[in-house]
Amino acid sequence: MLHKNLIAGEWVGGDASANINPSNTNDVIGEYARASSEQTRAAIAAAKAAFPSWSRAPILERHALLKRAGDEIMTRKEELGRLLAREEGKTLPEAIGEVTRAGQIFDFFAGEVLRLTGEVLPSVRPGVGVEITRDAIGVVGVITPWNFPIAIPAWKIAPALAYGNTVVLKPADLVPGCAWALVDILSRAGAPAGVVNLVMGRGSVVGQTMLDSPDVNALTFTGSVGTGKRVALASIEHNRKFQLEMGGKNPFLVLDDADLSVAVEAAANSSFFSTGQRCTASSRLIVTEGIHDRFVAALTSRLQGLVIDDALKSETHIGPVVDESQLKQDVDYIEIGRKEGAKLAFGGDRIERDTPGFFLQPALFTEATNQMRIAREEIFGPVAAVIRVKDYDEALAVANDTDFGLSSGIATTSLKHATHFKRNSEAGMVMVNLPTAGVDFHVPFGGRKGSSFGPREQGRYAAEFYTSVKTAYTFA
Protein backbone atom coordinates (compact mmCIF):
# COMPACT_ATOMS: atom_id res chain seq x y z
CA MET A 1 0.00 0.00 0.00
CA LEU A 2 1.25 3.45 -0.95
CA HIS A 3 0.58 6.08 1.72
CA LYS A 4 -0.36 9.18 -0.28
CA ASN A 5 -0.17 12.90 0.34
CA LEU A 6 -3.34 14.81 1.26
CA ILE A 7 -3.97 17.82 -0.97
CA ALA A 8 -7.27 19.73 -1.07
CA GLY A 9 -9.03 16.84 0.64
CA GLU A 10 -7.81 14.23 -1.86
CA TRP A 11 -5.17 11.55 -1.37
CA VAL A 12 -2.58 12.04 -4.12
CA GLY A 13 0.20 9.64 -5.11
CA GLY A 14 3.79 10.22 -6.16
CA ASP A 15 7.20 8.63 -6.20
CA ALA A 16 7.47 6.08 -3.39
CA SER A 17 9.99 6.03 -0.57
CA ALA A 18 10.47 3.15 1.88
CA ASN A 19 10.13 3.83 5.61
CA ILE A 20 12.78 1.64 7.30
CA ASN A 21 12.90 0.40 10.91
CA PRO A 22 16.27 1.42 12.47
CA SER A 23 16.03 -1.51 14.90
CA ASN A 24 15.75 -3.92 11.99
CA THR A 25 16.62 -2.59 8.55
CA ASN A 26 14.95 -5.64 6.98
CA ASP A 27 11.62 -4.34 8.29
CA VAL A 28 9.95 -1.97 5.81
CA ILE A 29 7.17 -0.14 7.64
CA GLY A 30 5.54 1.07 4.45
CA GLU A 31 5.86 2.99 1.21
CA TYR A 32 5.19 6.73 1.39
CA ALA A 33 4.67 9.13 -1.50
CA ARG A 34 7.06 12.01 -2.02
CA ALA A 35 5.41 15.21 -3.18
CA SER A 36 6.69 17.22 -6.12
CA SER A 37 7.08 20.98 -6.25
CA GLU A 38 3.86 21.17 -8.26
CA GLN A 39 1.96 19.15 -5.66
CA THR A 40 3.36 21.32 -2.87
CA ARG A 41 2.18 24.45 -4.65
CA ALA A 42 -1.24 22.84 -5.06
CA ALA A 43 -1.37 22.12 -1.32
CA ILE A 44 -0.51 25.73 -0.53
CA ALA A 45 -3.20 26.94 -2.95
CA ALA A 46 -5.73 24.60 -1.33
CA ALA A 47 -4.89 25.93 2.13
CA LYS A 48 -5.21 29.49 0.87
CA ALA A 49 -8.62 28.76 -0.65
CA ALA A 50 -9.87 27.06 2.52
CA PHE A 51 -8.71 29.82 4.88
CA PRO A 52 -11.61 32.33 4.61
CA SER A 53 -14.22 29.73 5.51
CA TRP A 54 -12.21 27.95 8.21
CA SER A 55 -11.05 31.14 9.94
CA ARG A 56 -14.70 32.17 10.32
CA ALA A 57 -16.06 28.73 11.17
CA PRO A 58 -18.11 28.48 14.37
CA ILE A 59 -15.89 27.76 17.33
CA LEU A 60 -17.77 24.55 18.10
CA GLU A 61 -16.78 23.22 14.67
CA ARG A 62 -13.11 23.84 15.37
CA HIS A 63 -13.46 22.49 18.91
CA ALA A 64 -15.14 19.31 17.68
CA LEU A 65 -12.44 18.60 15.08
CA LEU A 66 -9.62 18.89 17.60
CA LYS A 67 -11.52 16.94 20.26
CA ARG A 68 -12.30 14.05 17.89
CA ALA A 69 -8.68 13.92 16.76
CA GLY A 70 -7.35 13.95 20.31
CA ASP A 71 -9.76 11.22 21.38
CA GLU A 72 -8.74 8.93 18.52
CA ILE A 73 -5.04 9.48 19.22
CA MET A 74 -5.57 8.48 22.84
CA THR A 75 -7.67 5.45 21.89
CA ARG A 76 -4.95 4.25 19.50
CA LYS A 77 -1.91 5.21 21.60
CA GLU A 78 -0.48 1.67 21.82
CA GLU A 79 -0.88 1.10 18.06
CA LEU A 80 0.54 4.51 17.15
CA GLY A 81 3.28 4.11 19.75
CA ARG A 82 4.36 0.89 18.10
CA LEU A 83 4.47 2.64 14.73
CA LEU A 84 6.55 5.44 16.23
CA ALA A 85 8.99 3.01 17.86
CA ARG A 86 9.40 1.15 14.57
CA GLU A 87 10.08 4.19 12.42
CA GLU A 88 12.12 6.39 14.81
CA GLY A 89 13.73 3.94 17.24
CA LYS A 90 12.41 5.20 20.58
CA THR A 91 11.64 2.45 23.07
CA LEU A 92 7.99 1.44 23.11
CA PRO A 93 7.22 3.10 26.48
CA GLU A 94 8.82 6.35 25.27
CA ALA A 95 6.90 6.13 22.00
CA ILE A 96 3.55 5.53 23.70
CA GLY A 97 4.33 8.44 26.00
CA GLU A 98 4.94 10.68 23.00
CA VAL A 99 1.67 9.63 21.37
CA THR A 100 -0.15 10.31 24.64
CA ARG A 101 1.36 13.77 24.69
CA ALA A 102 0.09 14.40 21.16
CA GLY A 103 -3.42 13.43 22.23
CA GLN A 104 -3.19 15.71 25.26
CA ILE A 105 -2.08 18.61 23.07
CA PHE A 106 -5.12 18.25 20.81
CA ASP A 107 -7.37 18.02 23.86
CA PHE A 108 -5.80 21.17 25.33
CA PHE A 109 -6.25 23.22 22.17
CA ALA A 110 -9.78 21.92 21.71
CA GLY A 111 -10.41 23.63 25.03
CA GLU A 112 -8.56 26.76 23.97
CA VAL A 113 -10.99 27.21 21.08
CA LEU A 114 -13.72 27.71 23.67
CA ARG A 115 -11.54 30.05 25.74
CA LEU A 116 -10.70 32.59 23.02
CA THR A 117 -10.60 35.99 24.65
CA GLY A 118 -10.10 39.65 23.85
CA GLU A 119 -10.19 42.97 25.64
CA VAL A 120 -12.63 45.84 25.72
CA LEU A 121 -11.08 49.10 26.88
CA PRO A 122 -12.21 52.72 27.10
CA SER A 123 -10.49 55.11 24.73
CA VAL A 124 -8.86 58.30 25.90
CA ARG A 125 -11.43 60.00 23.63
CA PRO A 126 -14.98 60.37 24.99
CA GLY A 127 -17.56 58.16 23.32
CA VAL A 128 -15.00 55.87 21.70
CA GLY A 129 -14.69 52.19 22.57
CA VAL A 130 -11.65 49.99 21.92
CA GLU A 131 -11.66 46.23 21.25
CA ILE A 132 -8.50 44.14 21.10
CA THR A 133 -8.89 40.76 19.41
CA ARG A 134 -6.78 38.12 17.72
CA ASP A 135 -7.18 37.09 14.09
CA ALA A 136 -5.87 33.99 12.34
CA ILE A 137 -2.82 34.59 10.16
CA GLY A 138 -3.63 32.49 7.10
CA VAL A 139 -1.69 29.58 5.62
CA VAL A 140 0.77 28.13 8.13
CA GLY A 141 3.65 26.04 6.79
CA VAL A 142 4.73 23.37 9.27
CA ILE A 143 8.16 21.73 8.91
CA THR A 144 8.93 19.10 11.53
CA PRO A 145 11.97 16.95 12.49
CA TRP A 146 12.41 13.20 12.80
CA ASN A 147 13.07 12.91 16.53
CA PHE A 148 9.48 13.57 17.72
CA PRO A 149 7.44 12.41 14.71
CA ILE A 150 3.99 12.89 16.25
CA ALA A 151 4.36 15.25 19.23
CA ILE A 152 5.99 18.11 17.31
CA PRO A 153 3.51 17.99 14.40
CA ALA A 154 0.75 17.93 17.05
CA TRP A 155 2.00 20.95 18.96
CA LYS A 156 2.23 22.96 15.74
CA ILE A 157 -0.92 21.79 13.93
CA ALA A 158 -3.32 21.87 16.91
CA PRO A 159 -2.87 25.56 17.77
CA ALA A 160 -2.77 26.52 14.09
CA LEU A 161 -6.21 24.97 13.58
CA ALA A 162 -7.57 26.13 16.93
CA TYR A 163 -6.93 29.77 16.06
CA GLY A 164 -8.45 29.45 12.58
CA ASN A 165 -5.43 28.93 10.33
CA THR A 166 -5.01 26.36 7.58
CA VAL A 167 -1.99 24.05 7.44
CA VAL A 168 0.53 22.61 5.01
CA LEU A 169 2.60 19.96 6.82
CA LYS A 170 5.97 18.74 5.63
CA PRO A 171 7.26 16.05 8.03
CA ALA A 172 10.84 14.81 8.09
CA ASP A 173 11.49 12.56 5.10
CA LEU A 174 12.97 9.95 7.44
CA VAL A 175 9.78 9.40 9.50
CA PRO A 176 6.61 9.98 7.47
CA GLY A 177 4.50 7.29 9.17
CA CYS A 178 3.28 9.11 12.26
CA ALA A 179 2.64 12.33 10.35
CA TRP A 180 0.57 10.42 7.79
CA ALA A 181 -1.42 8.73 10.58
CA LEU A 182 -2.04 12.09 12.28
CA VAL A 183 -3.28 13.76 9.09
CA ASP A 184 -5.44 10.72 8.30
CA ILE A 185 -7.02 11.09 11.75
CA LEU A 186 -7.70 14.80 11.18
CA SER A 187 -9.16 14.11 7.75
CA ARG A 188 -11.56 11.47 9.06
CA ALA A 189 -12.36 13.68 12.08
CA GLY A 190 -13.93 16.15 9.68
CA ALA A 191 -11.25 18.63 8.59
CA PRO A 192 -12.73 20.40 5.54
CA ALA A 193 -10.87 20.04 2.24
CA GLY A 194 -7.74 22.18 2.19
CA VAL A 195 -7.69 22.94 5.92
CA VAL A 196 -4.99 20.32 6.57
CA ASN A 197 -2.64 19.32 3.76
CA LEU A 198 0.18 16.77 3.91
CA VAL A 199 3.18 16.95 1.56
CA MET A 200 5.81 14.36 2.42
CA GLY A 201 9.18 14.35 0.73
CA ARG A 202 12.61 15.91 0.52
CA GLY A 203 13.41 19.24 2.08
CA SER A 204 15.20 20.31 -1.09
CA VAL A 205 11.94 19.91 -3.02
CA VAL A 206 8.96 20.25 -0.68
CA GLY A 207 10.57 22.45 1.95
CA GLN A 208 12.16 24.77 -0.59
CA THR A 209 8.85 25.19 -2.43
CA MET A 210 7.23 26.20 0.85
CA LEU A 211 10.01 28.70 1.55
CA ASP A 212 9.68 30.20 -1.92
CA SER A 213 5.89 30.63 -1.81
CA PRO A 214 4.50 34.11 -1.07
CA ASP A 215 1.21 32.42 -0.12
CA VAL A 216 2.64 30.84 3.04
CA ASN A 217 1.78 33.49 5.63
CA ALA A 218 3.65 31.95 8.55
CA LEU A 219 6.20 29.18 8.88
CA THR A 220 6.99 27.17 12.00
CA PHE A 221 10.15 25.07 11.86
CA THR A 222 11.95 22.65 14.16
CA GLY A 223 15.29 21.25 12.99
CA SER A 224 18.94 22.08 12.44
CA VAL A 225 20.53 25.49 12.89
CA GLY A 226 21.63 25.62 9.25
CA THR A 227 18.18 24.96 7.87
CA GLY A 228 16.65 27.32 10.41
CA LYS A 229 18.77 30.16 9.05
CA ARG A 230 17.51 29.41 5.53
CA VAL A 231 13.94 29.48 6.80
CA ALA A 232 14.59 32.86 8.41
CA LEU A 233 16.17 34.43 5.31
CA ALA A 234 13.42 33.18 3.01
CA SER A 235 10.73 34.36 5.42
CA ILE A 236 12.20 37.83 5.72
CA GLU A 237 12.13 38.14 1.94
CA HIS A 238 8.40 37.38 1.93
CA ASN A 239 7.70 39.40 5.09
CA ARG A 240 6.16 36.30 6.67
CA LYS A 241 5.99 35.42 10.33
CA PHE A 242 8.40 32.64 11.28
CA GLN A 243 9.21 30.58 14.33
CA LEU A 244 12.38 28.53 14.79
CA GLU A 245 13.30 25.77 17.23
CA MET A 246 16.84 24.61 16.55
CA GLY A 247 19.80 23.19 18.41
CA GLY A 248 20.84 22.79 22.01
CA LYS A 249 23.99 22.10 23.98
CA ASN A 250 22.24 21.79 27.27
CA PRO A 251 24.14 21.80 30.58
CA PHE A 252 23.32 19.69 33.62
CA LEU A 253 25.08 20.84 36.80
CA VAL A 254 25.86 18.47 39.67
CA LEU A 255 26.87 20.24 42.90
CA ASP A 256 28.71 18.76 45.89
CA ASP A 257 25.52 18.82 47.96
CA ALA A 258 23.43 16.92 45.38
CA ASP A 259 21.62 13.70 46.20
CA LEU A 260 23.86 11.35 44.21
CA SER A 261 21.11 8.94 43.16
CA VAL A 262 18.89 11.82 41.98
CA ALA A 263 21.80 13.38 40.07
CA VAL A 264 22.78 10.13 38.36
CA GLU A 265 19.25 9.23 37.30
CA ALA A 266 18.56 12.72 35.97
CA ALA A 267 21.89 12.80 34.11
CA ALA A 268 21.39 9.34 32.57
CA ASN A 269 17.90 10.27 31.41
CA SER A 270 18.98 13.69 30.13
CA SER A 271 21.97 12.45 28.18
CA PHE A 272 21.17 8.98 26.92
CA PHE A 273 17.45 8.12 26.91
CA SER A 274 15.71 8.43 23.53
CA THR A 275 19.24 7.60 22.29
CA GLY A 276 20.26 11.18 23.10
CA GLN A 277 18.23 12.36 20.11
CA ARG A 278 16.35 15.16 21.84
CA CYS A 279 17.02 18.87 21.40
CA THR A 280 16.62 19.15 25.18
CA ALA A 281 19.13 16.36 25.90
CA SER A 282 22.08 17.24 28.10
CA SER A 283 25.47 16.51 26.57
CA ARG A 284 27.44 18.67 29.05
CA LEU A 285 27.56 17.32 32.60
CA ILE A 286 29.19 20.05 34.69
CA VAL A 287 30.28 18.56 38.01
CA THR A 288 31.93 20.20 41.01
CA GLU A 289 35.14 18.53 42.17
CA GLY A 290 33.91 17.41 45.60
CA ILE A 291 31.40 14.96 44.06
CA HIS A 292 33.04 14.45 40.66
CA ASP A 293 34.66 11.05 41.16
CA ARG A 294 31.67 9.54 42.98
CA PHE A 295 29.31 10.86 40.31
CA VAL A 296 31.37 9.48 37.43
CA ALA A 297 31.65 6.06 39.10
CA ALA A 298 27.91 5.92 39.84
CA LEU A 299 26.91 7.10 36.36
CA THR A 300 29.26 4.59 34.75
CA SER A 301 27.68 1.83 36.82
CA ARG A 302 24.24 3.03 35.71
CA LEU A 303 25.28 2.95 32.06
CA GLN A 304 26.65 -0.57 32.42
CA GLY A 305 23.17 -1.74 33.40
CA LEU A 306 21.38 -0.23 30.41
CA VAL A 307 20.16 -2.57 27.67
CA ILE A 308 20.63 -1.34 24.10
CA ASP A 309 18.45 -3.32 21.70
CA ASP A 310 15.37 -3.38 19.49
CA ALA A 311 13.03 -0.55 20.48
CA LEU A 312 10.07 -2.95 20.69
CA LYS A 313 11.64 -5.36 23.18
CA SER A 314 10.31 -4.94 26.70
CA GLU A 315 13.74 -5.11 28.33
CA THR A 316 15.27 -2.39 26.13
CA HIS A 317 16.30 0.89 27.77
CA ILE A 318 17.86 2.55 24.71
CA GLY A 319 16.92 1.87 21.10
CA PRO A 320 18.94 2.42 17.94
CA VAL A 321 20.24 5.62 16.41
CA VAL A 322 17.74 6.77 13.78
CA ASP A 323 19.79 5.94 10.65
CA GLU A 324 23.25 5.26 9.24
CA SER A 325 24.02 8.93 8.65
CA GLN A 326 23.28 9.90 12.25
CA LEU A 327 25.24 6.91 13.52
CA LYS A 328 28.27 8.02 11.50
CA GLN A 329 27.97 11.53 12.95
CA ASP A 330 27.91 10.14 16.49
CA VAL A 331 30.92 7.89 15.88
CA ASP A 332 32.82 10.75 14.24
CA TYR A 333 32.26 12.97 17.29
CA ILE A 334 33.44 10.20 19.61
CA GLU A 335 36.68 10.09 17.65
CA ILE A 336 36.91 13.90 17.76
CA GLY A 337 36.55 13.77 21.55
CA ARG A 338 39.40 11.26 21.81
CA LYS A 339 41.66 13.39 19.61
CA GLU A 340 40.84 16.51 21.62
CA GLY A 341 42.15 14.82 24.76
CA ALA A 342 39.00 13.88 26.58
CA LYS A 343 38.99 10.45 28.24
CA LEU A 344 36.41 7.96 26.96
CA ALA A 345 35.37 6.55 30.33
CA PHE A 346 32.62 4.30 29.00
CA GLY A 347 31.12 2.97 25.79
CA GLY A 348 31.18 4.53 22.37
CA ASP A 349 31.26 1.28 20.39
CA ARG A 350 28.89 0.23 17.64
CA ILE A 351 27.22 -2.99 18.75
CA GLU A 352 25.51 -5.89 16.98
CA ARG A 353 22.16 -7.34 17.89
CA ASP A 354 19.91 -10.10 16.55
CA THR A 355 18.68 -7.86 13.75
CA PRO A 356 20.63 -5.45 11.52
CA GLY A 357 20.24 -1.99 13.01
CA PHE A 358 22.01 1.19 14.08
CA PHE A 359 22.96 0.33 17.65
CA LEU A 360 25.49 2.40 19.58
CA GLN A 361 26.69 1.96 23.13
CA PRO A 362 26.28 5.23 25.08
CA ALA A 363 29.54 7.17 25.29
CA LEU A 364 30.67 9.01 28.42
CA PHE A 365 33.72 11.30 28.29
CA THR A 366 35.54 12.67 31.32
CA GLU A 367 38.30 15.27 31.67
CA ALA A 368 36.58 17.36 29.02
CA THR A 369 36.77 21.13 28.79
CA ASN A 370 34.13 23.54 27.61
CA GLN A 371 36.33 24.57 24.69
CA MET A 372 36.32 21.12 23.07
CA ARG A 373 34.12 20.53 20.04
CA ILE A 374 32.26 17.77 21.90
CA ALA A 375 31.25 20.48 24.41
CA ARG A 376 30.46 23.18 21.85
CA GLU A 377 28.67 21.43 18.96
CA GLU A 378 25.40 19.54 19.03
CA ILE A 379 26.06 15.82 18.49
CA PHE A 380 22.45 14.61 18.72
CA GLY A 381 23.29 11.15 19.94
CA PRO A 382 24.01 9.20 23.15
CA VAL A 383 27.27 11.05 23.85
CA ALA A 384 27.97 13.17 26.93
CA ALA A 385 31.03 14.89 28.35
CA VAL A 386 31.77 15.47 32.05
CA ILE A 387 33.40 18.84 32.75
CA ARG A 388 35.05 19.18 36.18
CA VAL A 389 34.69 22.58 37.88
CA LYS A 390 35.69 24.04 41.23
CA ASP A 391 32.38 25.34 42.58
CA TYR A 392 28.90 26.58 41.73
CA ASP A 393 30.08 29.93 40.39
CA GLU A 394 32.38 28.27 37.88
CA ALA A 395 29.68 25.73 37.01
CA LEU A 396 27.21 28.51 36.20
CA ALA A 397 29.77 30.35 34.08
CA VAL A 398 30.58 27.21 32.11
CA ALA A 399 26.89 26.38 31.70
CA ASN A 400 26.16 29.79 30.18
CA ASP A 401 29.26 29.73 27.94
CA THR A 402 27.48 28.38 24.87
CA ASP A 403 25.84 29.67 21.71
CA PHE A 404 22.68 27.79 22.65
CA GLY A 405 20.08 28.30 25.36
CA LEU A 406 17.25 25.79 25.20
CA SER A 407 17.24 23.80 28.45
CA SER A 408 19.42 23.52 31.54
CA GLY A 409 19.38 21.57 34.77
CA ILE A 410 20.92 21.40 38.21
CA ALA A 411 21.14 18.73 40.88
CA THR A 412 21.39 20.28 44.33
CA THR A 413 19.79 20.22 47.76
CA SER A 414 20.59 23.91 48.27
CA LEU A 415 17.59 26.21 47.93
CA LYS A 416 20.02 29.12 47.54
CA HIS A 417 21.80 27.57 44.55
CA ALA A 418 18.59 26.28 42.99
CA THR A 419 16.97 29.71 43.20
CA HIS A 420 20.05 31.49 41.89
CA PHE A 421 20.36 29.04 38.99
CA LYS A 422 16.72 29.43 37.96
CA ARG A 423 17.22 33.18 37.78
CA ASN A 424 20.64 33.22 36.14
CA SER A 425 20.71 30.27 33.76
CA GLU A 426 20.65 31.60 30.19
CA ALA A 427 18.12 29.04 28.97
CA GLY A 428 14.46 29.10 28.08
CA MET A 429 13.66 26.15 30.37
CA VAL A 430 15.33 25.29 33.68
CA MET A 431 15.06 22.03 35.63
CA VAL A 432 15.95 21.47 39.29
CA ASN A 433 16.65 17.84 40.26
CA LEU A 434 14.98 16.73 37.03
CA PRO A 435 16.24 15.70 33.58
CA THR A 436 16.77 18.54 31.11
CA ALA A 437 14.48 16.65 28.70
CA GLY A 438 10.82 16.15 29.51
CA VAL A 439 8.32 19.00 29.55
CA ASP A 440 4.58 19.40 30.10
CA PHE A 441 2.20 19.84 27.17
CA HIS A 442 0.31 22.87 28.52
CA VAL A 443 3.18 25.28 29.23
CA PRO A 444 5.56 27.26 26.99
CA PHE A 445 8.39 25.46 25.20
CA GLY A 446 11.38 27.28 23.72
CA GLY A 447 14.83 28.66 24.26
CA ARG A 448 17.16 31.61 23.91
CA LYS A 449 20.25 32.59 21.93
CA GLY A 450 20.92 30.25 19.00
CA SER A 451 18.32 27.68 20.08
CA SER A 452 15.09 29.47 19.24
CA PHE A 453 13.59 32.47 17.52
CA GLY A 454 10.08 33.84 17.76
CA PRO A 455 7.23 33.28 20.20
CA ARG A 456 7.12 30.18 22.40
CA GLU A 457 5.41 26.97 21.38
CA GLN A 458 2.73 25.11 23.36
CA GLY A 459 0.22 26.29 25.94
CA ARG A 460 -1.57 29.60 25.79
CA TYR A 461 1.63 31.27 24.62
CA ALA A 462 1.14 29.61 21.23
CA ALA A 463 -1.40 32.32 20.41
CA GLU A 464 1.47 34.80 20.05
CA PHE A 465 2.63 33.05 16.89
CA TYR A 466 -0.57 31.70 15.38
CA THR A 467 -2.58 34.92 15.62
CA SER A 468 -2.28 38.59 14.79
CA VAL A 469 -3.49 41.25 17.19
CA LYS A 470 -6.19 43.61 15.93
CA THR A 471 -7.24 46.86 17.62
CA ALA A 472 -10.69 48.20 16.63
CA TYR A 473 -12.15 51.60 17.53
CA THR A 474 -15.88 52.43 17.55
CA PHE A 475 -17.55 55.81 18.01
CA ALA A 476 -21.12 55.49 19.09
Side-chain angles (χ1 to χ4, degrees):
M1 171 187 169
L2 176 65
H3 296 78
K4 299 178 180 180
N5 289 296
L6 184 66
I7 300 171
E10 300 291 334
W11 293 102
V12 181
D15 295 336
S17 174
N19 189 2
I20 303 296
N21 181 350
S23 290
N24 179 3
T25 56
N26 293 326
D27 176 24
V28 178
I29 297 159
E31 299 287 333
Y32 290 81
R34 279 178 166 164
S36 64
S37 295
E38 291 76 15
Q39 289 173 329
T40 305
R41 285 191 286 270
I44 295 168
K48 182 178 180 180
F51 173 71
S53 175
W54 180 249
S55 63
R56 292 166 178 80
I59 59 172
L60 278 178
E61 183 178 340
R62 302 209 303 260
H63 165 80
L65 172 65
L66 297 178
K67 185 69 168 64
R68 284 193 293 265
D71 288 347
E72 181 170 343
I73 292 168
M74 295 298 282
T75 299
R76 296 173 57 193
K77 63 183 180 182
E78 284 82 9
E79 171 205 342
L80 294 172
R82 187 175 181 85
L83 169 64
L84 198 161
R86 283 177 70 203
E87 76 168 351
E88 195 272 345
K90 280 190 173 92
T91 64
L92 187 56
E94 289 175 322
I96 293 172
E98 181 180 334
V99 173
T100 301
R101 180 176 176 184
Q104 291 168 332
I105 289 166
F106 272 92
D107 184 65
F108 176 85
F109 282 105
E112 283 298 277
V113 175
L114 305 180
R115 293 189 289 265
L116 296 174
T117 60
E119 295 179 77
V120 178
L121 302 173
S123 170
V124 295
R125 293 168 289 175
V128 175
V130 182
E131 299 171 69
I132 303 171
T133 56
R134 290 186 176 273
D135 285 351
I137 302 169
V139 177
V140 176
V142 175
I143 300 177
T144 57
W146 51 259
N147 61 329
F148 283 88
I150 196 166
I152 292 181
W155 84 47
K156 294 179 186 293
I157 293 172
L161 298 178
Y163 297 119
N165 302 285
T166 55
V167 168
V168 178
L169 167 65
K170 183 235 168 297
D173 195 25
L174 196 58
V175 289
C178 286
W180 187 93
L182 178 57
V183 170
D184 176 59
I185 288 170
L186 284 164
S187 177
R188 288 185 293 97
V195 169
V196 180
N197 302 272
L198 173 67
V199 278
M200 302 175 287
R202 299 185 186 278
S204 59
V205 177
V206 178
Q208 190 60 50
T209 303
M210 292 169 69
L211 295 188
D212 293 340
S213 175
D215 292 328
V216 175
N217 305 111
L219 210 156
T220 175
F221 167 83
T222 299
S224 70
V225 173
T227 304
K229 290 179 179 179
R230 290 177 56 201
V231 170
L233 289 172
S235 296
I236 290 170
E237 183 174 342
H238 291 294
N239 198 31
R240 77 164 62 98
K241 206 170 187 180
F242 63 97
Q243 177 186 59
L244 309 176
E245 288 296 340
M246 300 175 288
K249 199 64 185 174
N250 308 297
F252 184 77
L253 281 59
V254 180
L255 303 189
D256 287 352
D257 60 26
D259 180 311
L260 185 60
S261 62
V262 169
V264 168
E265 196 57 37
N269 185 307
S270 296
S271 302
F272 303 111
F273 284 26
S274 293
T275 324
Q277 296 174 154
R278 300 181 285 194
C279 54
T280 51
S282 177
S283 54
R284 293 188 299 147
L285 305 175
I286 303 167
V287 186
T288 51
E289 56 189 5
I291 198 174
H292 177 277
D293 292 350
R294 288 185 293 128
F295 172 79
V296 169
L299 180 57
T300 301
S301 177
R302 180 74 173 94
L303 294 179
Q304 289 170 341
L306 295 178
V307 176
I308 298 90
D309 207 333
D310 189 313
L312 295 176
K313 291 184 177 180
S314 60
E315 66 271 19
T316 298
H317 298 115
I318 297 176
V321 175
V322 71
D323 71 350
E324 186 70 50
S325 175
Q326 187 62 46
L327 178 60
K328 183 181 184 302
Q329 177 171 303
D330 296 345
V331 171
D332 287 348
Y333 269 108
I334 291 168
E335 185 58 28
I336 288 168
R338 284 189 177 116
K339 290 180 177 177
E340 286 181 316
K343 177 185 175 184
L344 186 59
F346 179 83
D349 295 323
R350 181 167 184 172
I351 53 181
E352 301 296 327
R353 288 296 179 256
D354 294 339
T355 53
F358 309 115
F359 300 104
L360 180 66
Q361 195 175 30
L364 180 66
F365 282 100
T366 59
E367 307 309 322
T369 70
N370 206 46
Q371 285 67 49
M372 293 178 176
R373 287 182 62 189
I374 58 170
R376 308 298 303 180
E377 300 170 12
E378 187 175 38
I379 300 171
F380 221 67
V383 183
V386 178
I387 301 171
R388 187 196 301 257
V389 294
K390 179 181 178 181
D391 53 22
Y392 168 73
D393 290 337
E394 185 182 357
L396 177 63
V398 170
N400 288 337
D401 180 17
T402 175
D403 294 333
F404 298 103
L406 182 55
S407 184
S408 66
I410 186 171
T412 181
T413 56
S414 165
L415 179 60
K416 172 186 173 182
H417 286 139
T419 302
H420 188 273
F421 185 71
K422 285 188 289 184
R423 291 175 178 168
N424 292 279
S425 174
E426 296 173 0
M429 298 176 290
V430 182
M431 315 291 183
V432 178
N433 295 321
L434 289 166
T436 55
V439 295
D440 291 348
F441 64 88
H442 67 304
V443 297
F445 177 97
R448 298 165 58 175
K449 299 194 276 190
S451 289
S452 305
F453 181 87
R456 290 289 190 261
E457 299 196 88
Q458 295 198 141
R460 306 196 75 173
Y461 282 75
E464 296 298 325
F465 179 73
Y466 292 99
T467 63
S468 176
V469 173
K470 176 184 286 181
T471 306
Y473 296 86
T474 303
F475 177 69

